[in-house]
Amino acid sequence: MALQLGDIAPDFEADTTEGHIRFHEWLGNSWGVLFSHPKDFTPVCTTELGYTARLKPEFDKRGVKVIGLSVDPLDAHRQWSKDIEETQGTAPNFPMIADSDREIASLYGMIHPNASDTLTVRSAFIIGPDKKIKLSINYPASTGRNFDEIVRVIDSLQLTAKHQVATPVNWKAGEDVIIVPSVSDEDARKKYPGGWKALKPYLRIVSQPKS
Ligand code: BEZ
C-alpha cells in the first residue's frame, strides 16, 4: 500500500554525494524533505535542483534537512552538479542519493509504472522530527515543482505543531490563522485574550501566534 500521511517514513541506507547515510540517523531530530527527480542531465530537474540549493538558507532557518534522489549513479550526480552550478548559479548543497537499484524509490512509491516503469516521478515528502510523513506530493516529469510551496507547508506544519491553529487557503507566514474547532471558546479566550473574529462559530480567525 502507498505511504500515507502519518506513516513513519521508511528508514534506509544509501550512497549519496555526501557519503553513505542511514536515513533516520541522518535526519536526527530535524525536519526533512526527501524528493525524487526523474533523471540527471534533464532540463526541468536542473532548474529544480538549482532553486532548491538557493533555498538552503530558508531550510536551515527552519531546521530542515533536504535530500534528493534519482535512479542515476553517483558519478552522474557529481558531473551534473557542475552543470547545475553553471546554469542555475548554485550547485546542489544537499546530498543526492544514487538509487541505481531503485530500492528506495520502490520503498517510497516514487515509481509509477503507468507514467514510467524505469524513472521516478517528481515525489516530495516532508518528514517531521517524529519521522512521520507530514506531506507527500507526486508531480509529472514535465512539471517542475514549486519549492516555495514546500517551504510554505513547512511554515504551516511547524506553526500547527506548536499551536492549536490551522492555516487557511493560500496562507503565508505572518498572516492570520484559524483556531481549530477542537478548542472551545472558553479555552480560546485564555489563549487569545485579545479576542478573535468569528465569521461562524466554527470559523474563528486570529492573528498568527508568535513562536
Ligand atoms: C526534465 O527534467 O526536464 C525531464 C525529466 C524526465 C522526463 C521529462 C523531462
Side-chain angles (χ1 to χ4, degrees):
M1 195 169 84
L3 290 172
Q4 297 185 329
L5 303 190
D7 290 353
I8 295 286
D11 198 12
F12 57 80
E13 290 191 36
D15 290 321
T16 83
T17 48
E18 298 187 7
H20 189 82
I21 62 157
R22 287 195 182 85
F23 187 50
H24 283 191
E25 188 181 280
W26 177 81
L27 281 170
N29 295 321
S30 299
W31 290 73
V33 173
L34 167 65
F35 71 101
S36 58
H37 57 270
K39 198 163 175 46
D40 292 4
F41 301 104
T42 50
V44 177
C45 299
T46 300
T47 62
E48 282 194 331
L49 268 76
Y51 193 79
T52 306
R54 292 207 298 282
L55 280 180
K56 183 163 171 53
E58 297 302 319
F59 288 120
D60 286 349
K61 231 191 303 186
R62 293 162 176 81
V64 181
K65 290 185 172 178
V66 174
I67 189 162
L69 174 150
S70 81
V71 298
D72 296 289
L74 275 185
D75 58 337
H77 286 353
R78 293 202 174 106
Q79 277 303 316
W80 182 39
S81 290
K82 295 179 200 160
D83 291 358
I84 296 170
E85 179 164 29
E86 183 188 324
T87 61
Q88 310 301 308
T90 314
N93 45 21
F94 48 83
M96 290 202 288
I97 297 168
D99 189 33
S100 306
D101 58 7
R102 303 185 178 93
E103 208 173 299
I104 302 161
S106 302
L107 195 59
Y108 275 79
M110 292 165 168
I111 293 180
H112 295 198
N114 291 326
S116 164
D117 53 11
T118 52
L119 304 179
T120 52
V121 294
R122 296 186 195 281
S123 299
F125 296 88
I126 298 177
I127 298 160
D130 56 3
K131 311 285 183 294
K132 289 186 179 168
I133 296 172
K134 308 294 182 187
L135 167 131
S136 66
I137 56 167
N138 291 301
Y139 272 43
S142 52
T143 305
R145 285 158 290 194
N146 183 337
F147 280 79
D148 293 334
E149 168 65 1
I150 290 178
V151 172
R152 189 190 76 91
V153 176
I154 291 166
D155 283 340
S156 170
L157 287 166
Q158 293 188 338
L159 185 72
T160 61
K162 236 177 172 177
H163 303 280
Q164 289 172 298
V165 295
T167 58
V169 60
N170 292 346
W171 173 88
K172 288 198 275 320
E175 294 179 353
D176 289 351
V177 300
I178 288 169
I179 303 170
V180 293
S182 59
V183 175
S184 66
D185 280 354
E186 189 187 341
D187 287 341
R189 266 190 288 276
K190 291 178 207 147
K191 277 175 169 295
Y192 306 107
W196 59 87
K197 188 163 75 183
L199 301 177
K200 289 283 175 189
Y202 58 84
L203 180 49
R204 295 168 298 175
I205 312 286
V206 72
S207 300
Q208 178 181 321
K210 302 273 174 280
S211 45

